[in-house]
Every structure is written in C-alpha cells, then in structure tokens.
Amino acid sequence: MRNIRAILRKELGTYFASPMAYIMAGVFLALTGVFFVNSVDQPFAEASVRGLLATSSFFLLTLVSPLLTMRLFAEEQKLGTLELLLTAPVRDYEVVVAKFLASFVMLASMALATLFYAALLAYYADPDLGPTFSAYVGFLLYGAATLAMGLLASTLSSNQIVAAVVGFGLILVFTLVDQVSNILSGTVARVLERLSLSAHFDAFNRGVIDTADIAYFLILMAVFLFLTIRSVESRRWR
Amino acid sequence: MARSTQGPPTTRETGETVFATLTRLLSGRQGISAIGAVAGGLALLLGLVLLLFVPAMRGAAYSVVVLGAILLLLALMVSFSTVVKAVTGRRGRYGTNTTAMVVAFVVLGILIEVLAFRNPVRWDLTATRRFSLAPQTRDILTGLQEPVRATAFFVAGNPSQDQYRTAVEDLMKEFGRQQPKLFSFRFLDPDREVTIAKEFDIRQYPAVVFEGRDSGLRHQLIAPFFEERNFATAMLIATGRQQKRLYYLTGHGEKDLGDVAPDSREGAALLASGLGGDNYDVQVLSLAQIPLVPEDAAALIIAGPKQDLEGEESKILEQYLRGGGRVLFLLEPNPPATFSNLLFAWGIKPVEGRVVEIFNSVAGQPQTPLFSRDQYFRYPEDPSSPDPFHVDLITRPLDETYFPGTAAFQQRLPPEEMVKESVALFRLVRATVLSCISQDPEAKTCPPESLGRELVPAWALQGFAPINEKPDPAGPRKTRIVVFGDSDFVSNYHIPSKNNRDLVLNAVNWLTEDTALANIRPNPIPVRYLILAENQKQLLRALSWFVLPAGVVLLAAVAWWRRR
C-alpha cells in the first residue's frame, strides 16, 4: 500500500501541477455545459441530469479517458524511466493500480465538478435525487472501465498519440458493440448487448442500480487492469 | 545506433526491394506455410462474419470455416518444428503462461458476470419506484410462449411526442430486461418508414404496436395509453388472449361513447379507449331495440342515466342480474327510481342528496370530494384471513381519485338481518368525517350537526340471489355489481385526472374477474419539468457554458505560473 500511495501521490502531483490537465478539464466542462443546456433547454424538459450524463458518457468518456491515460506508461517508456520504475522495489501491480487510481481521481474530480449542473437544477426545479445519485455512480464506474482500457493502450506503445488512438478504438468498440447486436439476432446478439458499456450505464442513468451492471463494470475494469499488469510484466521477457 | 550496426541488415542497407524481400520470405516451405496460415486465418474470419451476419449463407459459411481450419492445420504441419520451437522457447513459455493466465482470468470474470446476471439484486431509486414492474407483469413476461416485438411509432424531434417517448422507452427496456429472450422492441419514425407504418395500420401517432411473432396477432396502443397495464394487456392480446365483450347501455341520457372531445363532460370516448386498452370489446346496447342483454356480455355498463327505464327494460335487467349478470352502475345524486330499484333488490339504496366534503376536496369545490389512500376500505378486514372476493383489487393499487358531484349509498338492511349466503356487500371508499349530505346543489359547507356520518359513495357486491332470497345451489354464476355515486369522473374531461381511469377500469376488471390486470399498479410519473423564464434561461446558459470552464482555465493559469 505504501508503494501505491507514493506512486499515486507522484502521479497526482504531475496531473494537478500540469496546466494541460486543467485545460483538458476546462474543455470537458465546457462541453458538458453545452450538453447540459441542450438537454434542458427544450419544451417538456425533465429536471434531471439524465440527458447530460447520457451524452457525456458516450462522447466525453470515449475521448477523455484515453487522453488522461495515454501519458501514464507511454511517456515513461519514451523517457526510459519505466525501466527504473520496474527495477525499483515495487511490484508491477502496484505501479498499475497507482497509475489507474491517479487517473480515476482526475476523472472523478472532473465528473464531480458537473454536480454544479445538478445544483442549478435543484435551485430552479425539483429533480429526483435518487436517479441523480445512481447516474453519477454509473458514470464513475463507466469512467473506471474506460480508464482501465486506456491504461492498457498506454503500455502498448511509447508514442502517446498511438496510445490514445488505440485506447479510443478499444473504448469505442465496447461502447458501440450493442449497435452491432441490433442487426443480429439470437444468443450472439444478446451476448454482444451484454458487452456494451452504454447498455449497462443506461439503467444507472434511469435511476436503477443493478448488481449485474455493477459487476460488469468492475469485471471489465479488473480484466483490463490484469491485462495491463501482464503487458507491463511482459517487458521483462519480451 | 548500436542496434543498426549489430542487427540484421535493413532493406535499404542491402539494396533489396520490398518485392524482392516478400519473394524471399514467401519462397520455400516457410513461405508456403505463411501463405497457408494467412489464408486460413482470413477464411476463418470470413466464415464467422458470414455465419453471424448473413444467416441465408450459413451453408457456405460453414464450408469457408472448415476450409480455413484445414489451411491453418496444413500450415501448422508444414512448420511444425518452428511452431513447437516458438511455443517451447523461453519467450514462448512465458507467452503461453501469460496467455493461460489471461484466459483463466477472463473466464473467471465471465463466470462472475453470468452469476450476477442470473441473480440480480436491483434498487429502484426513483421517488415513485417507476421502474419496478408489478408481479403480474413479470408473470406475463416470464410466461410468454412466443416472441413478442413492440414497434413504437414516434416522430423524431416532436416535443409533444417526446414527453411520451422517454416513458415508453423506459418501460420497454424494463420489459426487455425481464424477458430478454422473447421480448424485443424498436422505434420507428412513421414519416420515414411509411411502408411499415401502412403495414401496421398507423393512422394516429405516437402509437405502439405489440406483435406476436409466431401468431402474427397485433394490438395497437395510442397515447395516452402507454402505461404498464396497457402494455401488459397488449402483450396478452398479441399472444392470443381472447377479448371479452362489454355492453354499454344507451337510451336514458347516458354519457355519450361517441363524443371524443377531450374537454367534454358528457362524452365517454376516453372510457371506451381505456376499456379497449384492457382488451375489452365495447358494444352499445339499446334495450328498446334489442330487448335482452346478449349472452356474450362479460359485463354491462350504465353510465349516468337521466331518465327511467321503460316498460320491460327493468325486468330485462333484473333477470340479467338474477342470472349472474355483472353491472357497473355509474349514477348521479338522486338517480332515476328504476335504476335505484335494481340496486335496492340487492341490498343497496341511495341516500337522498349529494355529498359535501369540507376537509378533502378538489380545491374550492366541496361538492367534488377527493379520496386519498386512507379513505379506501381494506379487504379482507383481517389481513390473516383468506379473501375469496378480491374486492381489494379495485382500490388498493390507487392513489387519489375524485368524484365531481356524488351521491352516497347505504345498506338497505342492517347486517344482522341479511342472509349471508345470498349477498356479500363491500364498501369501497368513504368521505371524511367532515362531510355531509345536502339537498342544495350549490352547498359549500355543512351544518355542524350533520357532520360525522359515514358517507360511502362507492360499493361492490357479490351474490347468488337478491337479499333475503334463498340462493339456488344449482343456479347460475354469481352476480357482481359495482356502484359509484357519480358518473362525471369517467367523462372525457375528468377520466385522465388523478387515478380516475384506473379506478373505473379496476372495477370493470373485478366485474369480469380479470384481476391480474387490476393489480398492476399505475406507477405515477411525477411532473418534474424544468420551466424557466427567458432571463432564467439566459442565466442558466451563462453559468453552464462559461463559469465552470473559466474557473478551471484560471486554475490552469495558476499552475502554469507556479511551474514557471
């Protein structure tokens, strides 16, 4: 735990000391602001963050997560500091978990800033707080899964752009896989639908928390973190 | 630099062209093996794509898959030693080990997900539990015998339709979640998919059509009948449940079934639509033209008669009731005597005058009493005893209802004088103790001495014979009657408000013994609209678009300054 804490602190320091991270957060919040206004600025608009988080999860997490994680291993590989890190008395999983947690804290900070919109809704109307809570829980789980994918992509290349593109592609596949299921039928269609990130998030966004959806996001996150650990470890024998 | 001098010579260093390199690599046994492996892999991929996406070419797809497998096998046999070396070498062993671990981890993850999917625990966090399906709906879904598809016809970007669209989509998703194998749904724009809209006979939208995929049966719902009970009924119809027939009495000034004006207080077209949504076929009955209640009548509805029954009509209805008839009486204060007499025989009589409610009424109208949950009677009175009548299903699932100008009824004989075997009477709803009966149609208050009397504007009864007549053990089926002291609450104007529609539909469901439908509680969708004035909208836009991003950009500037 001590090692994880140390690496986490270092990564968070890098994030929060970098103007780029703030600029990315600023762009994220500007876009969420546009999505929020679009979702409520219409006749019969429901006083909820449902529209905001549905659009944000689709458009923003697909883009922001790879941007947040692309640096984490790719830059270390490029600078040659990954060898130093891996020969230090820390385990591979500690490095991966700490970097994952750092990116998650960054994403969660950005997501929680959007509670400002929920506060605006509460001021002007009477939103249902249960679905607001569940939607944010789902959004954070969704984000955690996409960050794990981005982290794996970051280990695959020393070029940050390549890592971001690979991460973006991975997340896109898991986001849109249910669209493929629409043109199929039977068991294959159902399995593909069960694989979709957006389909699992939908229930959270409506106000329903289902243990199957929680398990899906946690398992997806665990699988990609495991793959990341194996990918980092493979540098020792490749 | 060191690598470039020690490693194998590159194409540029040897002056070899790409074509020459490829020719060298692909010549000899290894080259044939590589071509075979690539071709086999491609064939396998193509075969799987055909198998998944083009079911019509399934035969060809299998052939391509087999061909791919053979090519891969051949490639393996030709380069067997190379493959063995790759697998058993140092990197190969590590690689195999890692692959095995990854596969084991993924399989474990899949198993956990399958377990979680099969044993889900759900929390519906919405204030009104709007995503919790009634047990009856879940039973209908799990008991489906054939695939059912719902097709929703909504015009995209139409605000008046959008208010229904989300609710319909949410409900369908819940249905799909409950029955992922046999229930599916889709949304179509009738203006774009004109052919399909014509095929489904869509004349008015938004509309949702439920379709039994094997039976080909269809049932169409139109707005506003997009609630859980409507969907559950539609599924039953689409899978072949027979319609029951209701008769609607006319000729005595009753509410008009043909009046479709939404603000009409004399029209009952929305009542007919609601009954249609519950799978009833409603037919008009004029006893002056057909002097009998047809045998296929599941129930008879009498809504707001203003004139007396004539000649033989009373006898026909009396005989119908004696023969196990089912009648819904929707009367008004001081109803025509011939209708009161029908009820009198079964032990209920109207109280003269109208109910004035000074505690719980629709704002400013004491003659329109409002009924809250605690004003419905609960049956059985002792919860531990069995309930053979299921009367509770009429009112238990409801929230508020109201009757604009209602009569009250009372029991004709005290309970001790009743022959229990003949009739069982049930009070359904009562006014509060701060209510009274008044003869004045304009009364707005009650004299203190008139307060405290229990006033019951709705009753239900089940019996084998009129009161104090000995029932015939070999007689026909049991008679059922529901009587309301008001008919205005089922008019087009009032029926969509509160739970008025559900109350009258539940009463019909009870009369016809379709209790499963009555028990599907309407999940009210609370109005949580965001309504803003123009200046508030401007402020909201400004705060959302600029305040947060500007704050974060300011932080970026601070970070840059500190790093500098």
Side-chain angles (χ1 to χ4, degrees):
Chain A
M1 271 311 279
R2 207 177 50 211
N3 291 336
I4 291 178
R5 257 204 313 271
I7 301 170
L8 174 63
R9 200 176 301 125
K10 178 241 168 195
E11 290 296 341
L12 285 177
T14 311
Y15 269 129
F16 285 100
S18 155
M20 278 313 292
Y22 288 105
I23 289 169
M24 198 198 305
V27 172
F28 174 86
L29 292 171
L31 288 172
T32 53
V34 172
F35 293 155
F36 171 67
V37 171
N38 282 350
S39 70
V40 297
D41 190 7
Q42 49 187 289
F44 302 111
E46 195 183 349
S48 84
V49 292
R50 189 171 167 180
L52 161 71
L53 293 186
T55 326
S56 300
S57 63
F58 184 75
F59 287 108
L60 292 184
L61 288 182
T62 312
L63 284 172
V64 169
S65 294
L67 292 179
L68 279 177
T69 51
M70 65 182 188
R71 182 188 60 80
L72 291 172
F73 282 101
E75 192 181 52
E76 301 246 25
Q77 288 183 66
K78 192 177 177 187
L79 299 176
T81 51
L82 188 59
E83 270 70 22
L84 285 176
L85 191 59
L86 295 180
T87 49
V90 288
R91 295 171 191 275
D92 293 346
Y93 83 85
E94 290 174 331
V95 177
V96 171
V97 169
K99 284 177 180 286
F100 169 75
L101 286 177
S103 62
F104 183 73
V105 169
M106 188 66 196
L107 183 74
S109 309
M110 285 154 64
L112 293 180
T114 64
L115 281 174
F116 175 68
Y117 307 124
L120 282 178
L121 284 177
Y123 181 75
Y124 283 118
D126 176 31
D128 195 348
L129 294 180
T132 306
F133 170 75
S134 68
Y136 272 94
V137 169
F139 190 78
L140 291 177
L141 285 169
Y142 192 138
T146 55
L147 287 173
M149 290 180 201
L151 206 59
L152 172 67
S154 179
T155 63
L156 301 178
S157 169
S158 58
N159 186 321
Q160 291 190 37
I161 305 297
V162 173
V165 170
V166 171
F168 173 73
L170 257 177
I171 297 166
L172 203 63
V173 166
F174 275 87
T175 306
L176 297 178
V177 70
D178 59 332
Q179 301 299 314
V180 181
S181 75
N182 287 343
I183 52 171
L184 295 173
S185 59
T187 312
V188 179
R190 285 201 301 279
V191 168
L192 289 181
E193 202 182 323
R194 295 294 308 165
L195 277 176
S196 161
L197 283 163
S198 43
H200 284 276
F201 174 63
D202 186 65
F204 283 102
N205 208 16
R206 282 185 290 139
V208 176
I209 293 184
D210 191 322
T211 47
D213 294 326
I214 296 175
Y216 166 82
F217 283 120
L218 292 180
I219 289 166
L220 201 64
M221 186 186 79
V223 165
F224 276 96
L225 286 181
F226 184 77
L227 288 172
T228 309
I229 294 167
R230 296 276 79 89
S231 174
V232 170
E233 186 203 58
S234 72
R235 292 180 64 85
R236 299 183 200 279
W237 50 263
R238 259 191 294 153
Chain B
M1 198 55 147
R3 264 188 199 164
S4 66
T5 52
Q6 288 174 5
T10 63
T11 306
R12 184 176 288 178
E13 284 162 355
T14 58
E16 196 177 37
T17 62
V18 174
F19 179 73
T21 311
L22 275 176
T23 312
R24 185 171 52 77
L25 285 173
L26 297 179
S27 61
R29 274 177 63 184
Q30 294 302 324
I32 294 167
S33 168
I35 293 170
V38 170
L42 286 175
L44 264 181
L45 193 68
L46 178 68
L48 286 174
V49 169
L50 287 176
L51 210 58
L52 285 177
F53 294 95
V54 196
M57 294 179 69
R58 186 156 286 185
Y62 282 125
S63 310
V64 176
V65 168
V66 170
L67 180 70
I70 290 171
L71 282 172
L72 277 177
L73 200 65
L74 282 175
L76 174 70
M77 286 165 67
V78 170
S79 303
F80 189 70
S81 58
T82 313
V83 174
V84 169
K85 216 160 102 185
V87 173
T88 56
R90 181 178 159 275
R91 286 171 62 179
R93 274 184 281 124
Y94 275 117
T96 312
N97 190 26
T98 301
T99 310
M101 278 197 286
V102 167
V103 169
F105 197 85
V106 170
V107 169
L108 185 69
I110 292 171
L111 284 177
I112 295 171
E113 172 61 12
V114 169
L115 277 177
F117 180 61
R118 292 201 172 161
N119 307 285
V121 179
R122 303 185 84 217
W123 295 277
D124 182 352
L125 301 188
T126 54
T128 54
R129 305 289 173 265
R130 61 194 265 200
F131 299 118
S132 302
L133 296 180
Q136 285 71 18
T137 311
R138 290 206 295 270
D139 289 347
I140 291 169
L141 282 162
T142 48
L144 278 182
Q145 297 295 318
E146 63 169 307
V148 172
R149 181 173 65 183
T151 306
F153 292 91
F154 281 76
V155 176
N158 182 328
S160 66
Q161 296 192 18
D162 285 349
Q163 61 174 324
Y164 292 113
R165 189 187 168 108
T166 311
V168 167
E169 196 170 356
D170 288 344
L171 204 48
M172 286 194 183
K173 280 179 180 166
E174 284 306 307
F175 277 41
R177 208 175 178 98
Q178 186 67 34
Q179 178 51 279
K181 283 186 183 170
L182 296 177
F183 180 81
S184 60
F185 69 91
R186 58 180 175 167
F187 275 80
L188 295 177
D189 185 336
D191 290 345
R192 289 186 183 170
E193 307 282 355
V194 180
T195 316
I196 301 177
K198 270 188 183 166
E199 186 198 329
F200 280 79
D201 195 26
I202 302 298
R203 296 174 189 176
Q204 173 181 355
Y205 35 82
V208 182
V209 180
F210 285 78
E211 180 188 14
R213 302 303 299 277
D214 294 342
S215 62
L217 292 171
R218 286 177 182 164
H219 184 69
Q220 189 178 130
L221 298 171
I222 53 166
F225 300 104
F226 291 153
E227 287 172 3
E228 186 184 334
R229 65 184 291 155
N230 305 121
F231 280 23
T233 313
M235 264 192 317
L236 289 174
I237 298 167
T239 50
R241 199 182 78 152
Q242 274 199 326
Q243 277 195 318
K244 288 184 178 174
R245 181 161 288 178
L246 300 176
Y247 285 91
Y248 186 88
L249 190 70
T250 58
H252 313 90
E254 291 88 349
K255 300 254 180 266
D256 184 2
L257 273 190
D259 183 350
V260 295
D263 56 349
S264 170
R265 287 171 166 82
E266 289 302 317
L270 288 182
L271 170 65
S273 302
L275 291 167
D278 267 13
N279 196 24
Y280 294 110
D281 173 27
V282 185
Q283 298 287 327
V284 170
L285 175 68
S286 167
L287 291 177
Q289 291 171 359
I290 306 168
L292 58 91
V293 179
E295 276 187 11
D296 61 351
L300 177 69
I301 299 173
I302 302 172
K306 296 185 182 77
Q307 295 136 31
D308 273 312
L309 293 161
E310 288 178 8
E312 292 294 301
E313 289 180 342
S314 287
K315 276 191 182 162
I316 293 168
L317 292 184
E318 202 184 303
Q319 283 303 318
Y320 172 64
L321 283 170
R322 277 180 179 274
R326 312 289 170 96
V327 181
L328 173 65
F329 288 94
L330 296 149
L331 302 178
E332 286 292 325
N334 307 319
T338 45
F339 288 96
S340 302
N341 292 342
L342 288 173
L343 291 170
F344 196 76
W346 292 87
I348 296 174
K349 64 176 184 181
V351 180
E352 241 178 84
R354 58 188 61 227
V355 175
V356 177
E357 168 67 79
I358 56 177
F359 177 70
N360 191 21
S361 63
V362 172
Q365 301 171 55
Q367 293 204 13
T368 302
L370 193 66
F371 303 102
S372 308
R373 280 178 165 247
D374 57 349
Q375 288 171 261
Y376 302 123
F377 288 88
R378 292 281 167 259
Y379 295 102
E381 284 167 25
D382 173 11
S384 60
S385 65
D387 176 22
F389 304 109
H390 305 293
V391 184
D392 211 24
L393 297 178
I394 299 177
T395 53
R396 183 165 52 83
L398 304 177
D399 286 319
E400 288 181 327
T401 53
Y402 67 87
F403 298 163
T406 183
F409 297 88
Q410 62 186 13
Q411 208 164 318
R412 187 181 132 197
L413 295 175
E416 60 275 13
E417 291 179 27
M418 297 272 288
V419 175
K420 282 188 181 164
E421 291 76 23
S422 59
V423 174
L425 291 167
F426 305 95
R427 295 167 296 168
L428 293 180
V429 62
R430 67 181 150 225
T432 68
V433 289
L434 294 178
S435 61
C436 65
I437 286 286
S438 172
Q439 303 298 332
D440 178 6
E442 304 299 324
K444 290 197 184 305
T445 186
C446 295
E449 65 277 11
S450 65
L451 297 173
R453 180 180 169 193
E454 185 177 74
L455 299 174
V456 182
W459 289 72
L461 74 84
Q462 175 171 308
F464 288 96
I467 54 165
N468 296 352
E469 283 186 22
K470 206 165 180 189
D472 175 7
R477 65 176 185 163
K478 52 196 180 277
T479 299
R480 278 187 170 185
I481 292 174
V482 175
V483 55
F484 292 102
D486 177 51
S487 62
D488 296 323
F489 83 99
V490 302
S491 67
N492 294 349
Y493 186 77
H494 291 293
I495 199 170
S497 304
K498 301 285 182 185
N499 281 163
N500 285 356
R501 181 173 59 219
D502 296 302
L503 175 61
V504 69
L505 294 183
N506 286 358
V508 174
N509 293 154
W510 182 75
L511 287 170
T512 58
E513 298 185 53
D514 286 327
T515 48
L517 289 176
N519 208 21
I520 299 175
R521 184 179 181 279
N523 282 350
I525 298 171
V527 180
R528 291 181 188 271
Y529 294 134
L530 180 68
I531 299 163
L532 298 174
E534 194 49 43
N535 61 337
Q536 289 174 320
K537 273 186 189 172
Q538 293 293 357
L539 183 64
L540 188 87
R541 285 186 198 122
L543 289 172
S544 306
W545 287 342
F546 303 116
V547 169
L548 272 185
V552 176
V553 169
L554 201 67
L555 285 175
V558 171
W560 170 78
W561 184 260
R562 287 180 63 180
R563 277 169 72 105
R564 191 179 64 90

